[in-house]
Amino acid sequence: MSGLLYLAWRHARAHGARTALLILCIALALWVPLTAGVLARRYNTDLRARANSTPLLIGAPGNRYDLTLAALYFRPSERIETISYRALDELQAENRATCIPLHQRFTARGFPVVATSIEYAEFRDLRLAEGSDPLRIGACTLGATVAEDLGLKSGDFLYSDPTELYDIARPPALKMRISGVYAKTGGPDDGAVFCDVRTAWVLEGIAHGHVEAEEIDEALVLSRTDDSVSVSGALIEYAEVTEANEASFHYHGDTSLLPLTAVLAVPRSTKDATLLKSGVNARMPLQAVTPSAVIDDLLGVVFRVKAFFDLVGLFLVVTTAALVGLVFLLSSRLRTAEMRTLDRIGAPRSAARTLIALEVVGTLVVAACLSVSATALTLRFLPDLVASF
């Protein structure tokens, strides 16, 4: 057997180009369905885990998929309508759940800015790697991925992205002081910037503060009187909440109408969850959805599409196997003289078949190893699609 192994190895080396081409074709045919299957199982598990850990989401009537994806995975969507802060007060008044406000309409350096309360960190079990939670207006705490990618830490500053660069009517970017960094969780929270909901209202332009007249750059002053100063908004590059002006930040109008994008409700019991959901959907101009049911429906559609591509992958494997078999069959026909030589030197009659089988098995083993390695590399370097879903 060792002699036949040596002959198979020498034959593969002598026809290196053909052998390499066969290995690559087989490895590719195996890599596509293998990687797709592993990724599908991973994302299915991770997506369902995030959804199953979130009991109830409440938001404006509309597309429940947009509401769920935005609230759970911070996926931006301009189609999500806001709800008023009054809705949060009414939900809390029912005393059936812990209600956590969410506001997610802005970004900072491309990362989503998630405005919420301290209860969110407790609910998601977010641990601080350094610093503190964003308790003050104008402060923020970074997810682990944000801090790593931007090279920021506690005490540094992060600027929000302006919504309309050339629209002077829109509020300028906000210079936020980083109060802390959360430890890595492996989920969407790693790629978000967290702040208090009051900070989101500053970003909206609803809340604003005042500065002392002597602190204003004269280049920005349009006009000045004894008791007022008119400043050019077009020249203000960014706003900043400091210890000097924090107390002056206020809202105009009814504070109960301040916007939120969703409310994350954690019912105290299954009965409370049922009553709260049915009550919201029946009486209030809101919608309450169960994230696990929404994700199940979404993944049901995705996996029906995946079933089609699984058939395509199976067809690819079968076609490749047929072509490889044809190549080895034609190769064995061309090696008739070689097989006759084996017979003349006294080799067993099964030696020719064993030699071909060793070559086939060796090619398949090398191709399978290459396919598994390629799948491992793909999973290693592919971005985490769940964290940025």
Side-chain angles (χ1 to χ4, degrees):
M1 179 63 73
S2 60
L4 292 177
L5 282 173
Y6 178 74
L7 289 176
W9 164 246
R10 294 295 298 178
H11 183 268
R13 287 192 58 185
H15 301 83
R18 189 203 69 178
T19 303
L21 183 59
L22 283 175
I23 290 174
L24 288 176
C25 290
I26 297 171
L28 181 61
L30 295 175
W31 172 76
V32 172
L34 179 61
T35 303
V38 173
L39 287 176
R41 285 192 294 273
R42 172 196 283 186
Y43 295 143
N44 177 48
T45 301
D46 292 346
L47 286 173
R48 291 184 190 275
R50 179 83 168 179
N52 291 337
S53 66
T54 307
L56 207 60
L57 283 176
I58 299 170
N63 191 311
R64 61 194 183 115
Y65 297 111
D66 286 340
L67 173 63
T68 302
L69 294 178
L72 264 63
Y73 311 104
F74 313 135
R75 181 179 178 182
S77 177
E78 298 178 354
R79 294 175 292 180
I80 297 180
E81 297 293 333
T82 60
I83 61 176
S84 66
Y85 198 80
R86 178 186 300 165
L88 175 67
D89 292 334
E90 293 174 355
L91 291 169
Q92 289 177 328
E94 293 193 22
N95 198 30
R96 297 188 182 278
T98 300
C99 297
I100 304 172
L102 290 174
H103 185 291
Q104 195 254 305
R105 298 181 66 182
F106 298 95
T107 60
R109 300 282 295 274
F111 293 98
V113 175
V114 181
T116 183
S117 63
I118 191 64
E119 288 79 13
Y120 182 87
E122 297 173 356
F123 173 70
R124 295 293 187 197
D125 195 25
L126 299 181
R127 308 286 182 175
L128 285 165
E130 60 176 85
S132 62
D133 292 300
L135 302 177
R136 296 177 53 183
I137 185 172
C140 67
T141 299
L142 307 183
T145 301
V146 180
E148 181 180 347
D149 290 353
L150 300 182
L152 298 175
K153 61 184 184 302
S154 299
D156 293 339
F157 291 93
L158 177 65
Y159 293 85
S160 66
D161 297 328
T163 53
E164 293 290 343
L165 186 60
Y166 301 107
D167 186 355
I168 62 175
R170 299 293 296 172
L174 178 64
K175 182 180 180 181
M176 299 180 288
R177 177 180 289 276
I178 300 172
S179 61
V181 176
Y182 287 123
K184 195 172 187 64
T185 64
D189 297 317
D190 291 339
V193 177
F194 295 93
C195 64
D196 188 80
V197 288
R198 296 172 300 170
T199 303
W201 296 331
V202 175
L203 292 170
E204 290 272 13
I206 300 173
H208 65 274
H210 300 289
V211 297
E212 298 296 332
E214 58 270 15
E215 297 180 7
I216 299 176
D217 189 339
E218 290 298 326
L220 306 180
V221 176
L222 295 178
S223 63
R224 184 189 294 271
T225 64
D226 292 339
D227 55 357
S228 66
V229 178
S230 176
V231 180
S232 172
L235 298 177
I236 299 177
E237 297 181 355
Y238 61 86
E240 182 179 1
V241 181
T242 64
E243 293 183 359
N245 67 4
E246 180 179 3
S248 70
F249 272 80
H250 61 283
Y251 317 97
H252 291 286
D254 189 354
T255 56
S256 66
L257 301 179
L258 295 173
L260 298 173
T261 56
V263 173
L264 194 161
V266 186
R268 293 176 171 81
S269 66
T270 304
K271 177 182 177 181
D272 286 332
T274 303
L275 292 174
L276 182 61
K277 182 177 180 180
S278 59
V280 168
N281 290 330
R283 301 192 311 272
M284 298 183 179
L286 304 170
Q287 69 167 333
V289 300
T290 304
S292 58
V294 175
I295 295 300
D296 285 345
D297 291 345
L298 182 62
L299 290 178
V301 175
V302 172
F303 280 96
R304 281 197 293 271
V305 176
K306 178 182 176 296
F308 169 76
F309 287 101
D310 287 342
L311 290 176
V312 174
L314 179 61
F315 176 76
L316 178 63
V317 171
V318 172
T319 303
T320 303
L323 291 175
V324 170
L326 179 61
V327 169
F328 277 106
L329 178 62
L330 294 177
S331 176
S332 63
R333 295 287 180 86
L334 295 174
R335 298 169 65 185
T336 303
E338 180 182 342
M339 302 308 169
R340 188 180 299 116
T341 301
L342 286 175
D343 183 63
R344 288 176 177 174
I345 63 176
R349 291 189 176 183
S350 61
R353 293 190 298 271
T354 304
L355 180 61
I356 298 297
L358 288 173
E359 294 177 3
V360 173
V361 172
T363 301
L364 293 177
V365 169
V366 174
C369 292
L370 182 60
S371 177
V372 171
S373 300
T375 299
L377 288 174
T378 302
L379 298 177
R380 172 65 179 82
F381 293 104
L382 190 70
D384 190 349
L385 300 183
V386 175
S388 57
F389 190 71

